[in-house]
Amino acid sequence: MNSKSNRLKALMLSLIIGTSALVHAQTVVYDFEDYEIGQKLNLYNLYGSVPSTSYAEVVSDPTNASNKVLHVVVTGWNTFIELQLPNELAGKKLTANKSYVTFDYYRPATDDADYKQMHIYLGSEQLYCDNGYPHQGDKNTWQNRKYAMNAVSTSADTETALHLGIHHEKSEYYIDNICLKGEYDDYLVAEENTIVNICEKNTSSNYT
């Protein structure tokens, strides 16, 4: 994209959403590269204790050993990954600034059952739930998922616990590059007082 087009995009953004949006138009990413292999992350159960045989562990990508991903095994309904959001996205500020959750999702051959639901919560407030029990995709291949969040309405203003994952009594999957995105995050970001086309400067993992 040339500089004239960049300037035009910046002007349009400023007119539509205000200059402050450029500051907040930054994708929040959890990619697990700063974690140690074998490190366990917290799981959350919506109605009680997490089953003792459920876990979320940082491991090597099953298709690319140099990449770190989160391996999740759940053995009870309503058991999800727990991630802590920055305070700037606590409570209603989450969906005031971010509209979508995206991530890379991989089902191993050992995953049980094809028809399940994906859920997303802030605390215990549900922000997304699959309609019905859709097929969760082919096994042994990375899939990119994108889910639009409902507006936060009942969570405390200090709530920062994001919970997401498959709602099922027995499920296994890998997840990576969990992103919280605003409407414009895929296109433009502010970088040292210039506007950058993220599509041209994408350096994220490629699972081809």
Side-chain angles (χ1 to χ4, degrees), residues 56-148:
E57 180 179 9
V58 177
V59 300
S60 295
D61 182 338
T63 67
N64 176 6
S66 65
N67 186 48
K68 296 177 185 178
V69 300
L70 190 66
H71 179 211
V72 183
V73 174
V74 295
T75 55
W77 298 96
N78 303 295
T79 302
F80 308 106
I81 303 162
E82 180 170 281
L83 300 171
Q84 291 300 320
L85 300 173
N87 290 330
E88 291 78 11
L89 294 178
K92 295 181 178 65
K93 289 183 286 187
L94 171 58
T95 50
N97 290 287
K98 302 298 176 186
S99 306
Y100 303 96
V101 177
T102 70
F103 50 81
D104 296 312
Y105 174 81
Y106 181 98
R107 298 181 62 208
T110 48
D111 184 31
D112 187 68
D114 292 327
Y115 296 89
K116 325 178 196 190
Q117 289 182 331
M118 188 70 70
H119 285 204
I120 301 170
Y121 297 82
L122 180 65
S124 59
E125 180 179 356
Q126 188 177 87
L127 304 183
Y128 176 84
C129 173
D130 276 334
N131 183 24
Y133 287 82
H135 193 287
Q136 289 297 329
D138 293 339
K139 296 180 179 180
N140 297 324
T141 186
W142 282 101
Q143 311 164 40
N144 184 257
R145 301 294 185 88
K146 180 178 181 179
Y147 300 101

Side-chain angles (χ1 to χ4, degrees), residues 18-200:
T19 305
S20 63
L22 293 177
V23 176
H24 296 291
Q26 299 174 17
T27 301
V28 178
V29 181
Y30 300 85
D31 66 3
F32 310 108
E33 294 304 315
D34 292 334
Y35 291 80
E36 298 294 329
I37 294 292
Q39 186 171 346
K40 299 289 184 65
L41 273 67
N42 289 336
L43 291 174
Y44 166 85
N45 187 276
L46 191 62
Y47 297 114
S49 300
V50 173
S52 61
T53 49
S54 298
Y55 62 89
E57 180 179 9
V58 177
V59 300
S60 295
D61 182 338
T63 67
N64 176 6
S66 65
N67 186 48
K68 296 177 185 178
V69 300
L70 190 66
H71 179 211
V72 183
V73 174
V74 295
T75 55
W77 298 96
N78 303 295
T79 302
F80 308 106
I81 303 162
E82 180 170 281
L83 300 171
Q84 291 300 320
L85 300 173
N87 290 330
E88 291 78 11
L89 294 178
K92 295 181 178 65
K93 289 183 286 187
L94 171 58
T95 50
N97 290 287
K98 302 298 176 186
S99 306
Y100 303 96
V101 177
T102 70
F103 50 81
D104 296 312
Y105 174 81
Y106 181 98
R107 298 181 62 208
T110 48
D111 184 31
D112 187 68
D114 292 327
Y115 296 89
K116 325 178 196 190
Q117 289 182 331
M118 188 70 70
H119 285 204
I120 301 170
Y121 297 82
L122 180 65
S124 59
E125 180 179 356
Q126 188 177 87
L127 304 183
Y128 176 84
C129 173
D130 276 334
N131 183 24
Y133 287 82
H135 193 287
Q136 289 297 329
D138 293 339
K139 296 180 179 180
N140 297 324
T141 186
W142 282 101
Q143 311 164 40
N144 184 257
R145 301 294 185 88
K146 180 178 181 179
Y147 300 101
M149 294 183 289
N150 295 323
V152 174
S153 60
T154 61
S155 296
D157 290 341
T158 56
E159 182 63 75
T160 58
L162 182 71
H163 302 124
L164 61 86
I166 289 291
H167 170 56
H168 196 260
E169 63 179 342
K170 185 179 180 183
S171 195
E172 179 182 6
Y173 57 94
Y174 297 82
I175 193 168
D176 195 18
N177 300 317
I178 302 170
C179 302
L180 300 169
K181 295 184 176 183
E183 184 176 358
Y184 299 97
D185 289 12
D186 276 343
Y187 304 102
L188 299 172
V189 295
E191 183 178 283
E192 297 177 352
N193 299 318
T194 45
I195 303 302
V196 176
N197 183 339
I198 235 175
C199 297
E200 292 181 355

